[in-house]
Amino acid sequence: MSSAWDASSSPAPLTGHAGQAGVAAVTADGAAWLASAGAYPRSTLAQWEERPHAPIVLPCGPVFDVVSAPVMFGRLMLDRLWGEGPGSGPVAAFRGRTLLFAAPGTAQRLPSLLEWEEWSADGRPDGRTGTVPPLLCHGNGDAVTVPAPLAAPGDTSTRWVVAPDTRHPWLPGPEILLWAAVRAARSAVRISISHPADQDAKVYDVSRRR
């Protein structure tokens, strides 16, 4: 890779500290995994080598699905996954959304599990619909824009929160994400998900999930 993105020399810092120095960076292996989702992985890697700060659109389905949540609720889910659960796969922040990378098939299964939890518009009046924002599930036939391997200087709205660092990352399935969403909903009763809280001080220790 180019000198601008020498990620192969050291593991990516998987932190969420505020400021450019704490933005998680993608390793060369992580970039190879992301690129494998597209039809032309070598072209994707060549584009990133030339423009390491450029986001790119990748298809969902074969390699990963993506569950997209409003940024604060997504961070509540992430806190539950790392605080009480098995951890997470790669996670990105992109223009007001939290993108949780999930196992293939999650996008098809998770909505029915959410429906079963009575989160739909037709759920019970005493259900959870009043505290849970819509979760967008992207799977086969969908595509998402993912952050570049390196965050653009000064841009914290599009970045990796938990960066891909291996060619074979562990990815949560629909049951695990349902579990995290249920617990995040309970937290949201006490914490306004629309209030701009400082969520950038979190550190997620990826050694726990392996």
Side-chain angles (χ1 to χ4, degrees):
M1 307 305 290
S2 70
S3 59
W5 175 41
D6 189 17
S8 60
S9 62
S10 61
L14 300 180
T15 68
H17 290 299
Q20 192 68 17
V23 174
V26 179
T27 65
D29 282 344
W33 172 72
L34 285 170
S36 71
Y40 304 102
R42 291 184 180 180
S43 296
T44 299
L45 292 174
Q47 178 176 338
W48 272 335
E49 183 173 345
E50 182 178 349
R51 300 178 60 201
H53 300 294
I56 197 167
V57 177
L58 292 174
C60 300
V63 175
F64 53 75
D65 284 359
V66 170
V67 175
S68 172
V71 63
M72 292 306 300
F73 189 80
R75 292 306 291 265
L76 287 175
M77 290 179 62
L78 194 56
D79 288 346
R80 301 287 79 74
L81 285 167
W82 285 99
E84 306 167 26
S88 72
V91 178
F94 189 81
R95 296 181 180 176
R97 307 288 296 186
T98 296
L99 308 181
L100 297 103
F101 285 68
T106 296
Q108 181 178 6
R109 177 63 177 149
L110 184 57
S112 62
L113 294 178
L114 295 173
E115 192 81 17
W116 181 76
E117 286 288 333
E118 298 175 328
W119 286 11
S120 71
D122 298 325
R124 294 184 334 207
D126 60 343
R128 298 184 176 93
T129 52
T131 58
V132 177
L135 301 181
L136 306 179
C137 299
H138 304 287
N140 276 321
D142 299 326
V144 294
T145 303
V146 303
L150 296 181
D155 183 7
T156 59
S157 65
T158 301
R159 60 190 173 84
W160 289 100
V161 180
V162 180
D165 65 338
T166 173
R167 291 176 182 264
H168 303 285
W170 177 81
L171 298 172
E175 292 82 4
I176 292 175
L177 291 179
L178 174 69
W179 174 89
V182 169
R183 280 152 182 78
R186 293 172 181 169
S187 298
V189 173
R190 301 184 300 274
I191 303 172
S192 171
I193 61 175
S194 62
H195 181 71
D198 179 13
Q199 290 286 334
D200 288 331
K202 299 294 184 182
V203 176
Y204 303 105
D205 179 8
V206 297
S207 65
R208 291 183 49 240
R209 71 182 179 207
R210 296 173 183 164

